[in-house]
């Protein structure tokens, strides 16, 4: 659940409080042009942080002529201090780091102490300070290994890098013999160095002494166009911010235009080859979701991460003309509920029915009236293969239940779906233990406990159920249906309506015959295939229980494969959004 850089910064958290929302009419009409300034917003995207923070990270220009160094001020405007024409550089934490491959990544790491290339943490500093990067660089360039440093807001000229203080002392003595006085300097735990990749040649050193400024870096531009940087297999536009948060390794943040960010989300969440209307729906959903989150990672000094914890983002890596066009044709558009940007959650597939946020996240449903479960008549037409099975034995299941405070004895005797949600997914599941005790868990607890792939599931065993000949066999599109629950029909006005009770079918002889609820296997407690969308139970198969299901993801909001199918059937992105997010309109941020 992703870009020309603009200099005006707007805090993402504040966007939701100052939104101009121009509602669009429902249906397929094209939106008016986006308001002026909607493309000026900046977002800070965390690429590496926390346990994923880096000791060293490589960068390379695929366009541009090297990089400029500086920092981002409080308004997220880049303040340039100096630059380099080098196109392949690495940013490292200022400590002893060594160039080589570690955990599958070739860069600078502290663990590779026997590597041939080492960047040391000790340096020699020339007397005095300087007014600019250029002056410090000129002074340092008179000595082998010299480089400019910006420490606590002041420029200095430094020489060399040494992995031990003894090495620095020896180099200091050699310079002293030439009449050059220097001071041995390390850096604080917040120091950052820029080196030529694969070498120990330092180009620039930055240390904010823990003030939280961090070092900024942007590609040098050689004229109009999109300037792209390659790092760790991905390509990015915009700039980068490096900070050793709490003195740790490098937290790396991509700072770029908000619409460029959305261009990096859409092709990561959907394929660039998908229908344009599905991609447009994804663009609006991604834009809305990002804005609704605010500054989710403020403790790391960025707004949103590049992982599925927020939204998957890989810069320009997967972008194509189709996904770019989807973003450009919906620029600035967001989903709106009651004058606020909706939190437009989405997922891969629902297996036939989405689910309400209260079921999946335990949220107050009144706060998210647009995230309500519903039967999805479209997704099946996408052709997605989303069946899954999860097998667990009786003893393991009993242990998992005991960990949740449910003592069922040495094993589980039977399992039953005892309550369904409005969209026909399990709501409550009751486990009966070998000791006769019964415990009911809500679906959220069951999915978490068993790591099920979706919220649409039932049971399967090797024991076939007894047939029930008293009721006629009911099938839809040639497939047997176990119950009327969750079935919808199209009325004369083209609306989807629940089938409900007192339904009759016309038999082969032309007579009518009632269809009774509960027809089909898996609902009599004797095993068999527990139909999805039905109350069902199972006693397992020789102490083994198999959960079967359809879908992939949390089932709340928009099914991406459902959006694909709707677009294939000629629906517009507005149709798609208004189906999956009940009652929303589409407006501008």
């Amino acid at each position: 659940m992703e870009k020309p850089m603009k200099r005006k910064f707007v805090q993402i958290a504040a966007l939701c409080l100052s939104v101009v929302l121009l509602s669009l009419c429902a249906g397929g009409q094209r939106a008016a042009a986006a308001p002026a300034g909607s493309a000026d917003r900046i977002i800070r995207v965390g690429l590496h942080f926390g346990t994923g923070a880096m000791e060293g990270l490589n960068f390379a220009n695929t366009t541009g002529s090297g990089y400029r160094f500086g920092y981002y001020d409080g308004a997220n405007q880049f303040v340039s201090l100096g630059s380099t024409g080098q196109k392949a550089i690495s940013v490292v934490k200022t400590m002893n780091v060594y160039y080589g491959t570690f955990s599958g990544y070739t860069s600078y790491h502290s663990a590779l102490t026997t590597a041939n290339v080492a960047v040391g943490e000790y340096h020699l500093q020339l007397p005095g300070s300087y007014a600019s990067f250029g002056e410090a660089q000129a002074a340092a360039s008179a000595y082998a290994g010299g480089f400019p440093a910006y420490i606590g807001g002041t420029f200095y000229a430094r020489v060399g890098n040494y992995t031990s203080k003894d090495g620095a002392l020896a180099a200091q003595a050699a310079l002293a013999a030439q009449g050059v006085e220097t001071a041995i300097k390390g850096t604080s735990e917040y120091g950052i160095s820029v080196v030529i990749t694969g070498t120990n040649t330092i180009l620039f050193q930055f240390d904010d002494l823990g003030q939280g400024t961090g070092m900024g870096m942007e590609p040098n531009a050689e004229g109009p166009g999109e300037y792209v940087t390659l790092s760790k297999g991905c390509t990015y536009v915009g700039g980068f911010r490096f900070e050793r948060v709490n003195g740790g390794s490098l937290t790396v943040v991509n700072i770029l235009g908000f619409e460029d960010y959305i261009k990096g989300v859409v092709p990561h969440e959907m394929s660039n080859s998908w229908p344009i209307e599905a991609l447009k729906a994804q663009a609006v959903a991604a834009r809305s979701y990002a804005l609704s989150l605010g500054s989710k990672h403020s403790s790391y000094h960025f707004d949103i991460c590049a992982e599925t914890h927020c939204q998957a983002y890989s810069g320009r890596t997967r972008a194509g003309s189709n996904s770019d066009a989807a973003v450009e044709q919906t620029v600035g558009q967001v989903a709106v509920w009651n004058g606020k940007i909706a939190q437009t959650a989405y997922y891969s597939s629902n297996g036939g029915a989405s689910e309400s946020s209260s079921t999946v996240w335990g949220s107050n449903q009144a706060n998210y009236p647009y995230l309500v479960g519903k039967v999805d008549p479209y997704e099946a037409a996408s052709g997605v293969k989303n069946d899954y099975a999860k097998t667990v034995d009786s003893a393991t299941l009993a242990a998992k239940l005991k960990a949740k405070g449910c003592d069922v004895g040495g094993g589980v005797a039977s399992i039953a779906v005892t309550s369904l949600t409005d969209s026909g997914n399990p709501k409550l599941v009751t486990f009966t233990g070998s000791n006769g005790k019964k415990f009911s868990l809500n679906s959220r607890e069951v999915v978490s406990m068993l790591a099920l792939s979706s919220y649409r599931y039932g049971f399967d065993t090797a024991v076939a159920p007894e047939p029930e000949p008293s009721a006629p066999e009911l099938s839809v599109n040639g497939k047997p249906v176990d119950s009327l629950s969750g079935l919808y029909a199209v009325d004369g006005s083209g609306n989807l309506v629940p089938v409900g009770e007192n339904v009759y079918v016309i038999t082969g002889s032309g007579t009518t015959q009632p269809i009774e609820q509960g027809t089909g296997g898996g609902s009599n407690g004797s095993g068999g295939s527990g139909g999805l969308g039905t109350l069902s139970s199972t006693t397992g198969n020789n102490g083994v229980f198999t959960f079967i299901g359809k879908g992939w993801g949390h089932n709340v909001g928009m099914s991406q494969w459902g959006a694909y199918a709707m677009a294939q059937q000629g629906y517009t992105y507005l149709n798609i959004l208004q189906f999956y997010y009940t009652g929303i309109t589409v407006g501008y941020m």
Side-chain angles (χ1 to χ4, degrees):
M1 236 177 287
E2 298 172 17
K3 336 181 235 139
M5 174 76 76
K6 303 290 184 180
R7 296 291 175 242
K8 182 179 177 183
F9 174 75
V10 179
Q11 279 286 359
I12 297 300
L15 288 175
C16 296
L17 303 177
S18 57
V19 194
V20 179
L21 300 172
L22 305 178
S23 295
L24 299 175
C25 296
Q29 107 180 48
R30 182 179 294 275
S38 66
D40 291 345
R41 295 181 173 91
I42 300 298
I43 190 168
R44 305 170 299 171
V45 186
L47 305 179
H48 308 284
F49 61 97
T51 57
M54 306 294 292
E55 291 189 327
L57 189 63
N58 307 335
F59 296 85
N61 280 134
T62 58
T63 55
S65 56
Y67 294 90
R68 55 184 178 270
F69 311 120
Y71 60 91
Y72 289 92
D73 65 15
N76 252 29
Q77 297 183 53
F78 185 76
V79 178
S80 182
L81 297 174
S83 67
T84 179
Q86 292 288 338
K87 292 191 173 187
I89 63 174
S90 299
V91 181
V92 305
K93 61 190 293 186
T94 303
M95 60 177 291
N96 290 339
V97 291
Y98 309 86
Y99 185 76
T101 301
F102 182 77
S103 295
Y105 182 57
T106 302
S107 187
Y108 293 84
H109 313 273
S110 61
L112 303 176
T113 55
T114 59
N116 293 328
V117 176
V119 181
E121 62 189 43
Y122 294 96
H123 317 282
L124 303 181
Q125 185 166 295
L126 298 174
S129 60
Y130 300 86
S132 69
F133 179 98
E135 290 180 13
Q137 186 178 51
S141 65
Y143 304 90
F147 59 89
Y150 188 72
I151 312 297
T154 301
F155 286 103
Y156 298 96
R158 291 183 168 179
V159 177
N161 59 89
Y162 311 94
T163 57
S164 68
K165 193 168 185 179
D166 286 343
L169 284 169
Q172 183 184 45
L175 282 177
Q178 301 174 34
V180 180
E181 294 186 5
T182 59
I184 295 177
K185 295 289 183 179
T187 61
S188 77
E189 60 185 342
Y190 303 100
I192 298 168
S193 298
V194 181
V195 302
I196 299 174
T197 300
T199 76
N200 71 343
T201 301
I202 297 178
L203 299 171
F204 179 56
Q205 194 169 83
F206 183 99
D207 192 342
D208 66 9
L209 302 178
Q211 296 304 303
T213 306
M215 188 192 84
M217 184 178 81
E218 293 189 351
N220 284 329
E222 296 177 320
E226 184 175 72
Y227 290 88
V228 179
T229 294
L230 174 67
S231 180
K232 210 172 184 184
C234 293
T235 53
Y236 301 96
V237 296
F240 303 88
R241 183 178 183 275
F242 308 87
E243 183 186 359
R244 294 177 63 182
V245 176
N246 299 321
S249 292
L250 298 171
T251 291
V252 184
V253 179
N254 187 197
I255 298 180
L256 72 166
F258 186 78
E259 292 297 324
D260 281 335
Y261 162 69
I262 300 301
K263 284 184 177 180
V265 174
V266 170
H268 200 108
E269 292 286 357
M270 280 186 179
S271 170
N272 174 66
S273 65
W274 278 23
I276 187 69
E277 294 300 314
L279 292 166
K280 287 160 70 174
Q282 180 66 69
V284 175
R287 189 180 293 114
S288 307
Y289 190 71
L291 291 171
S292 72
L293 293 179
S295 191
K296 190 173 182 179
H297 290 278
S298 59
S299 62
Y300 285 106
H301 305 161
F302 60 85
D303 302 307
I304 197 168
C305 73
E307 302 170 6
T308 54
H309 174 263
C310 292
Q311 293 188 122
Y313 165 77
S314 56
R316 299 295 293 159
T317 312
R318 301 185 181 186
S321 58
N322 211 26
S323 61
D324 279 357
V327 177
E328 291 163 3
Q329 291 175 25
T330 63
V331 63
Q333 292 180 29
V334 291
V336 180
W337 169 264
N338 197 24
K340 295 181 180 180
I341 296 176
Q343 192 169 109
T344 46
Y346 53 88
Y347 52 90
S348 178
S349 66
N350 57 40
S354 64
E355 196 45 72
S356 298
S357 61
S358 56
T359 299
V360 175
W361 295 316
S363 56
N364 184 343
Q365 194 62 55
N367 294 333
Y368 304 96
Y370 47 88
L371 295 179
V372 291
K374 60 175 63 177
V375 172
D376 186 343
Y378 303 108
E379 187 185 280
S382 69
V384 60
K385 304 299 182 183
N386 58 9
D387 295 349
Y388 66 88
K390 180 80 172 186
T391 300
V392 59
D393 64 81
S394 174
T396 299
L397 190 53
K400 289 179 179 291
L401 288 166
K402 188 173 184 179
K404 299 181 72 65
C406 306
D407 187 357
V408 295
V412 171
S414 65
I415 312 172
V417 174
T418 49
S419 178
L420 297 174
T421 66
D422 290 342
S423 55
N425 294 322
K427 183 177 183 179
L428 285 178
V429 178
T430 300
F431 299 85
T432 302
S434 58
N435 59 5
K437 293 183 178 180
K438 296 178 181 290
F439 294 93
S440 293
L441 299 181
N442 63 44
S443 197
R444 180 172 64 258
E445 294 173 303
V446 175
V447 169
S448 175
M449 180 176 72
L450 298 176
L452 300 182
S453 297
S454 76
Y455 276 74
R456 192 157 180 83
Y457 58 88
F459 312 114
D460 188 30
T461 71
V463 182
E466 292 295 325
E468 296 191 27
S470 60
E473 182 182 16
L474 176 64
S475 63
V476 176
N477 294 332
K479 297 182 179 180
V481 176
D482 296 319
S483 168
L484 300 180
S485 175
L487 290 186
Y488 283 67
V490 180
D491 67 15
S493 301
N495 299 314
L496 284 174
V497 294
V499 170
E501 301 177 353
N502 302 320
V503 179
Y504 289 75
V505 295
I506 300 175
T507 67
S509 61
T511 62
T512 59
Q513 186 170 346
I515 297 292
E516 298 179 2
Q517 294 280 3
T519 299
S523 60
N524 58 8
S526 63
S529 180
L532 304 185
T534 66
L535 299 177
S536 56
S537 64
T538 179
T539 55
N541 181 25
N542 296 322
V544 175
F545 296 90
T546 299
F547 289 75
I548 59 171
K550 288 180 176 292
W552 186 269
H554 52 64
N555 285 64
V556 178
M558 185 179 74
S559 162
Q560 291 166 316
W561 279 102
Y564 172 93
M566 288 186 72
Q568 289 281 70
Q569 294 172 45
Y571 290 98
T572 70
Y573 76 104
L574 294 176
N575 298 145
I576 295 169
L577 292 167
Q578 290 167 343
F579 173 74
Y580 285 108
Y581 305 112
T582 303
I584 62 99
T585 57
V586 176
Y588 285 111
M589 64 186 187

